[in-house]
Amino acid sequence: MSDKGIGASSKRREDVRFLSGNGKYTDDINVRGQKYVYFLRSDLAHGKINGIDTGEAASMPGVTGIFTGEDFAEVGGLPCGWQVTDRFGEAMKEPAHPVLAQGKVRHVGDPIAAVVADSLEQARDAAEAINVDMEELPAVIDMKSAVAGGTLVHDELETNLCYDWGFVEENKEAVDEAIKNAHHVTTLELVNNRLIPNAMEPRVAIGDYDASNDESTLYTTSQNPHVIRLLMGAFVLQIPEHKLRVVAPDVGGGFGSKIFHYAEEAFCTLAARKLRVPVKWTASRSEAFISDAHGRDHVTKIELALDGNGMFQAIRTDTYANMGAYLSTFSTSVPTWLHGTLMAGNYKTPLIYVNVKAVFTNTVPVDAYRGAGRPEATFQLERVIDKAARELGMDPIEIRRKNFIQKDEFPYATPVALEYDTGDYVATMDKLQEIADLDGFEARASESRKKGLLRGLGINCYIEACGIAPSNLVGMLGARAGLYESATVRVNATGSITVMTGCHSHGQGHETTFPQVIADMIGISEDQVHIQHGDTSNTPMGMGTYGSRSIAVGGAAMVRATEKIIAKAKKIAAHLMEASAEDIELKDGSFSVVGTDKSVGWGDVCLTAYVPHNYPLDQLEPGLEETAFYDPANFTFPAGAYACEVEVDPETGKVDICSFAATDDFGNVINPMVVDGQVHGGIAQGVGQALREHAVYNEDGQLVSGTYMDYSMPRADDLPSFVVDHSCQTPCTHNPLGVKGCGEAGAIGSPPAVVNAVLDALNKGGYNVSHIDMPLSPSRVWSAING
Amino acid sequence: MATVTMTVNGKSVSGEVEGRTLLSDFVRNNLNLTGTHIGCDTSQCGACVVHVNGKAVKSCTMFALEAEGSSVTTIEGMANPDGSLGTVQQAFQDNHGLQCGFCTPGMVMSAAALLEENPNPTETEIREYLEGNICRCTGYHNIVKSIQAAAAAA
Ligand code: FES
Ligand code: FES
């Protein structure tokens, strides 16, 4: 392992400010003269607004302005960034998504009005004095009843079905036929439980307007400030980019929930323009529960057809995917292109057909949450494989190994449109068996038995498509934007470097890891390189950070820009040494003429670029600054194998995670320490989904688990230490760093491992239970045992 | 409005507050010490932990007026006198005990209080002590490791 540059566990430089209390998060920003915003939100899941009387509220102390849907009638609604075409060639149903409710409220938390006042307390008091004449309508919560008809979330759509998507539609008949004639078919119906992302920093938006030059600034908790500028500027408020600056400073976690363009951002930006004062909104946690996009929420039936040897022959799935009340930014792509395309997993199943019905309900919009579609695909596939193994009396590891795509079969085209570039699933499984000490399982199980506990082992494999995304391809699939990334590398006169990137770090450590790459390429020290991100005014247009794309796409752009820098610097060095640029070699921060002892340092070349007294002005421009845009040729395909061991107490149904081991193939790794951390965090979120977390709506559409009292976040004493390994590396073949991305793996790979482990424990303990829906709470496990 | 006076990070401070002003808001808004974070409104997350008279306290559970005359330490007061990171802070950096950094001030303050009470905690004791601090990023693995390292370094 190297001690600097690529492959080094360099300590994170950003930690110094975070650890000393000097991080600058959005709520830490206060703009002189700012007013405070309080949103009056619907406490009904569905209702018709007959009238809003703001008269009394407007006269209350400190109130600067009150806004309702009417005030936003002339601006655009919040756009959806991905259009899905259904099985019949029709465009998805796309309802309006107003900034403030117009005519109707459609979920608990839907903003009805907003008060701007001198203090938050005054804004809240005034909001309470707003009189809303509302007629309660029946709420549509259950997806299957929503599709069946009756109450409509959006009357004008005449249906609650957003789309009925088939993939690959041409395969449908062949899949039906294969399943009809199969030796064995394993069927599983399951729920992928609805989650709330819960980044620890609640969302914040501050709008500011400078009338002297007609410029708006939005400070916001975002993973992608450029995307917000584009969506809000072009589609909602019609403010051109050069008059709109979006700043996302330090952001306290995102996990997908801070990708989307939210109503509060548009509100604060427009209110600041209208009122000519800065306005600030900070979500309370309770508000976050009903206004941040939720995740998952699929109801699925999956069928796996196998031959007599346990070889997979066909897969057919039927999924209902909850969209909530409106289409959030990426919502429509999650159950389709981020889910259906992953149904091959790590296996050679020749025939696959995926059907997804996306459904409107009176709940908070659902969108990408760590893994986004890939956890849903992995969960159903890996659960049905485990069930099939049990039905056929096969070992769960053996059945997987038998069906793996083999190392020499890459690149491998799946029947669901992806081409995996590299992988070695046998190697990751071998490694897992070693690091998880699977041979020692029986001995550990007998120790558990002595304590009256049932021990189980859960195995799981996953693949994900990351590094999103090839713009051409996603354009054909319905994306309304390109998904390239860009970087500007500015070499300063004395040789230090500033990199400006459209990616955004909200925990990933870019300020440390990106410099590792540049330091390696040039041979200077990492602390000579500074990363600038999070502000549209001083970074090039980029699509932001999600989908494990930063190093694979943003890092690749940075490499391309640095290559341009090096090429130009070589020309300058050649001039200084009176040699030809082709003969110049850059090593350890020094340029030399091959085959001679002539050399010139990095610093001298940089200074020459900026003080061009001795410079080939007739051939080269002075200066040393380059920009590159990188559009990936394909997705990247991280993959791995996970093992979880649990103890189940049959008396109470309580599940304890005894150990968790993960082997991941992320291709090349820039900073192993940071990568380990990403996997740890992902596993914790996946274990949370498997055992604890659940956003529960009652039939009236009230969010029952709306605080940390009811929504059970995993805490330190719920989890073990993890064993993680990423030494199996099959580098990506189509990006310059050979990296695949590591941000989502843990959250994708862990839920099925946990559930498989619990079912293994129960079945080995003599309880014939074929499935329990997540979260596997003590009461659900107990009921399954005693059912 | 009433005046409250206390010692914060070794300095005597005072400010005008309402009866309902929380200590967390006083620290953030009146003193501009924004290292103390607000992650919830139900006293569950621990992002706001500070020390009051040497004890770890969730500053969102206490009114500023209740801290009258107390000695309060926030994350900004945890560095060594020369400004370098203190032992617990340094252990967090060395062991990648933080990612987004939002829970971190509360984690460091809780960890420091734990080590004060129990200089050599076991992994189980650390995990149990952190029951009131939620981290969404790290899975706690490296937080536990950081605290063990801080204990070993002290
Ligand atoms: S803000 Fe104090 S416990 Fe969450
Ligand atoms: S480091 Fe992000 S919440 Fe703990």
Side-chain angles (χ1 to χ4, degrees):
Chain A
M1 196 185 291
S2 30
D3 60 356
K4 64 179 174 51
I6 292 175
S9 284
S10 300
K11 286 183 206 170
R12 298 201 329 168
R13 59 178 77 175
E14 48 270 73
D15 289 359
V16 176
R17 72 173 184 275
F18 295 145
L19 281 162
S20 48
N22 293 322
K24 189 173 260 255
Y25 299 88
T26 311
D27 193 44
D28 302 339
I29 296 172
N30 292 299
V31 184
R32 212 185 162 83
Q34 74 192 12
K35 309 279 181 187
Y36 295 83
V37 182
Y38 183 85
F39 288 96
L40 176 67
R41 295 181 184 274
S42 176
D43 51 13
L44 294 178
H46 199 187
K48 184 162 173 285
I49 302 171
N50 290 325
I52 304 175
D53 179 2
T54 58
E56 185 193 340
S59 63
M60 290 184 51
V63 172
T64 315
I66 300 185
F67 297 84
T68 65
E70 277 174 27
D71 300 296
F72 282 76
E74 81 282 12
V75 306
L78 305 175
C80 177
W82 200 298
Q83 177 173 304
V84 171
T85 304
D86 76 4
R87 292 175 58 194
F88 314 102
E90 299 286 316
M92 67 185 190
K93 299 279 190 299
E94 201 172 351
H97 186 177
V99 174
L100 295 174
Q102 291 179 3
K104 240 177 137 181
V105 289
R106 296 185 176 85
H107 66 84
V108 169
D110 211 358
I112 301 169
V115 180
V116 180
D118 292 346
S119 73
L120 181 60
E121 290 74 19
Q122 288 171 328
R124 193 185 296 135
D125 290 346
E128 274 163 22
I130 296 175
N131 210 333
V132 184
D133 174 6
M134 183 108 78
E135 179 185 331
E136 183 166 5
L137 299 170
V140 195
I141 303 303
D142 175 69
M143 286 192 273
K144 291 185 183 170
S145 2
V147 172
T151 303
L152 294 172
V153 179
H154 297 275
D155 304 298
E156 68 283 6
L157 300 183
E158 298 174 354
T159 171
N160 289 319
L161 186 64
C162 176
Y163 54 75
D164 178 354
W165 183 76
F167 186 66
V168 172
E169 197 58 29
E170 294 71 46
N171 292 351
K172 187 173 186 308
E173 268 179 45
V175 170
D176 290 347
E177 202 56 25
I179 287 177
K180 201 163 84 197
N181 301 323
H183 168 82
H184 184 87
V185 178
T186 298
T187 304
L188 183 60
E189 295 192 34
L190 50 83
V191 174
N192 202 292
N193 44 327
R194 186 182 185 110
L195 302 176
I196 300 177
N198 272 303
M200 290 317 297
E201 176 202 30
R203 287 189 298 117
V204 181
I206 307 170
D208 192 13
Y209 179 62
D210 181 351
S212 67
N213 55 15
D214 189 34
E215 265 180 30
S216 288
T217 301
L218 169 70
Y219 301 90
T220 183
T221 45
S222 175
Q223 300 175 217
N224 31 247
H226 284 280
V227 174
I228 303 304
R229 185 177 66 164
L230 176 67
L231 292 176
M232 184 175 79
F235 298 100
V236 186
L237 301 180
Q238 281 83 45
I239 305 173
E241 274 111 321
H242 67 290
K243 293 292 181 192
L244 178 58
R245 173 181 172 209
V246 177
V247 185
D250 288 330
V251 170
F255 316 113
S257 69
K258 292 173 182 167
I259 298 172
F260 324 121
H261 176 36
Y262 286 99
E264 296 86 356
E265 296 170 321
F267 176 82
C268 290
T269 307
L270 189 61
R273 282 174 88 94
K274 290 195 175 194
L275 298 171
R276 308 262 156 143
V277 287
V279 300
K280 178 173 184 173
W281 168 74
T282 303
S284 67
R285 178 60 58 185
S286 310
E287 201 174 10
F289 271 99
I290 53 169
S291 67
D292 291 359
H294 292 183
R296 316 278 192 260
D297 206 354
H298 286 193
V299 174
T300 292
K301 176 179 172 190
I302 179 167
E303 294 157 288
L304 171 64
L306 305 99
D307 71 11
N309 297 317
M311 300 301 291
F312 306 159
Q313 298 191 304
I315 292 169
R316 181 167 63 195
T317 76
D318 194 355
T319 288
Y320 287 79
N322 206 336
M323 295 286 101
Y326 302 100
L327 296 181
S328 173
T329 312
F330 275 154
S331 55
T332 50
S333 67
V334 174
T336 51
W337 301 105
L338 292 173
H339 159 258
T341 52
L342 273 300
M343 282 313 306
N346 311 50
Y347 313 103
K348 288 187 283 190
T349 311
L351 286 166
I352 299 176
Y353 178 73
V354 176
N355 180 257
V356 176
K357 295 178 183 69
V359 184
F360 294 110
T361 60
N362 291 117
T363 62
V364 169
V366 180
D367 206 326
Y369 165 57
R370 201 170 195 171
R374 292 151 289 177
E376 294 90 321
T378 305
F379 184 71
Q380 49 183 294
L381 182 60
E382 294 292 322
R383 283 290 303 119
V384 82
I385 291 172
D386 241 50
K387 187 171 182 226
R390 192 163 294 121
E391 287 173 358
L392 297 173
M394 291 179 72
D395 177 77
I397 296 181
E398 259 343 285
I399 196 171
R400 288 179 167 87
R401 283 184 179 272
K402 256 187 152 163
N403 285 282
F404 275 158
I405 300 161
Q406 299 296 311
K407 190 179 175 183
D408 57 5
E409 291 171 321
F410 293 95
Y412 182 86
T414 73
V416 273
L418 295 179
E419 184 176 282
Y420 301 166
D421 59 345
T422 54
D424 187 348
Y425 309 145
V426 172
T428 42
M429 184 59 91
D430 288 346
K431 190 73 192 178
L432 179 72
Q433 292 191 256
E434 175 198 326
I435 65 166
D437 181 26
L438 296 192
D439 292 341
F441 175 77
E442 273 316 318
R444 294 189 293 275
S446 87
E447 285 306 307
S448 300
R449 270 192 297 275
K450 286 183 199 153
K451 296 184 280 178
L453 302 172
L454 311 174
R455 197 174 189 101
L457 169 66
I459 296 292
N460 175 64
C461 296
Y462 77 89
I463 181 148
E464 50 170 334
C466 294
I468 54 176
S471 293
N472 261 337
L473 180 64
V474 295
M476 288 189 289
L477 304 182
R480 286 166 166 160
L483 288 170
Y484 58 82
E485 201 47 74
S486 65
T488 296
V489 175
R490 175 178 297 161
V491 181
N492 301 309
T494 58
S496 68
I497 292 178
T498 307
V499 180
M500 288 148 265
T501 168
C503 291
H504 185 277
S505 184
H506 29 279
Q508 296 87 343
H510 297 169
E511 291 172 31
T512 301
T513 55
F514 280 31
Q516 289 181 249
V517 174
I518 295 207
D520 228 42
M521 289 178 74
I522 298 177
I524 54 176
S525 74
E526 290 165 25
D527 57 16
Q528 289 280 90
V529 185
H530 169 76
I531 303 297
Q532 192 162 292
H533 59 105
D535 185 342
T536 59
S537 74
N538 59 23
T539 57
M541 172 85 178
M543 301 311 285
T545 289
Y546 42 82
S548 307
R549 71 191 298 274
S550 295
I551 197 70
V553 190
M558 180 179 71
V559 168
R560 290 285 184 250
T562 307
E563 285 168 353
K564 292 189 197 177
I565 292 281
I566 291 172
K568 183 170 179 186
K570 279 185 176 173
K571 289 183 188 161
I572 301 170
H575 171 79
L576 290 177
M577 293 186 283
E578 296 176 343
S580 146
E582 288 77 61
D583 295 334
I584 304 292
E585 193 179 73
L586 170 62
K587 198 162 176 272
D588 298 333
S590 171
F591 296 90
S592 55
V593 183
V594 180
T596 73
D597 59 0
K598 282 202 254 179
S599 72
V600 53
W602 169 254
D604 293 324
V605 170
C606 300
L607 193 62
T608 304
Y610 285 96
V611 187
H613 295 155
N614 172 18
Y615 196 87
L617 286 166
D618 51 336
Q619 296 153 36
L620 272 185
E621 288 174 32
L624 206 45
E625 173 168 330
E626 299 286 351
T627 295
F629 285 74
Y630 178 82
D631 202 297
N634 191 357
F635 295 93
T636 62
F637 297 99
Y642 286 15
C644 175
E645 274 185 44
V646 297
E647 279 181 340
V648 180
D649 183 343
E651 299 293 313
T652 61
K654 184 168 183 304
V655 176
D656 266 324
I657 308 267
C658 310
S659 66
F660 201 106
T663 54
D664 295 285
D665 174 1
F666 294 133
N668 294 336
V669 162
I670 309 297
N671 182 322
M673 174 192 81
V674 165
V675 168
D676 286 351
Q678 290 293 308
V679 176
H680 297 155
I683 294 173
Q685 290 183 2
V687 171
Q689 166 164 34
L691 296 184
R692 321 186 70 84
E693 298 179 39
H694 196 187
V696 182
Y697 279 95
N698 69 12
E699 58 192 26
D700 298 331
Q702 295 295 327
L703 180 63
V704 179
S705 48
T707 72
Y708 285 149
M709 317 281 219
D710 311 296
Y711 188 92
S712 178
M713 295 280 281
R715 296 179 186 251
D717 57 353
D718 300 320
L719 296 163
S721 285
F722 311 115
V723 182
V724 302
D725 180 280
H726 36 75
S727 63
C728 299
Q729 299 179 348
T730 60
C732 169
T733 54
H734 56 79
N735 66 43
L737 290 166
V739 293
K740 296 185 172 183
C742 65
E744 298 159 293
I748 295 170
S750 53
V754 176
V755 176
N756 287 345
V758 172
L759 290 163
D760 184 59
L762 297 186
N763 281 278
K764 282 182 178 147
Y767 302 100
N768 182 14
V769 178
S770 64
H771 182 68
I772 308 174
D773 274 323
M774 301 186 289
L776 272 58
S777 58
S779 69
R780 285 186 174 184
V781 174
W782 189 89
S783 307
I785 291 174
N786 294 284
Chain B
M1 287 293 212
T3 304
V4 64
T5 304
M6 62 186 89
T7 305
V8 177
N9 301 332
K11 279 196 222 105
S12 172
V13 297
S14 58
E16 295 296 305
V17 295
E18 290 184 51
R20 61 178 168 179
T21 304
L22 300 172
L23 179 59
S24 50
D25 290 332
F26 176 72
V27 167
R28 285 183 59 81
N29 301 338
N30 293 54
L31 306 181
N32 202 27
L33 294 172
T34 54
T36 299
H37 293 155
I38 311 296
C40 73
D41 45 10
T42 51
S43 306
Q44 298 268 315
C45 77
C48 62
V49 171
V50 301
H51 295 173
V52 178
N53 298 328
K55 289 249 171 315
V57 170
K58 288 178 172 171
S59 61
C60 72
T61 60
M62 192 169 174
F63 294 116
L65 288 172
E66 290 178 275
E68 172 68 34
S70 302
S71 168
V72 174
T73 307
T74 69
I75 188 70
E76 289 89 347
M78 294 299 280
N80 293 324
D82 67 356
S84 62
L85 295 179
T87 311
V88 179
Q89 293 167 309
Q90 189 59 56
F92 270 69
Q93 187 191 24
D94 292 347
N95 294 281
H96 192 28
L98 63 150
Q99 291 181 23
C100 78
F102 198 79
C103 73
T104 308
M107 285 288 177
V108 168
M109 300 311 286
S110 287
L114 164 65
L115 295 176
E116 198 60 44
E117 268 174 44
N118 178 356
N120 278 306
T122 62
E123 173 170 348
T124 309
E125 286 169 338
I126 294 172
R127 288 183 180 275
E128 281 169 1
Y129 192 88
L130 294 182
E131 218 270 330
N133 291 78
I134 305 177
C135 174
R136 193 53 151 171
C137 297
T138 64
Y140 306 99
H141 179 111
N142 283 340
I143 292 178
V144 172
K145 219 169 123 188
S146 302
I147 297 173
Q148 288 169 326

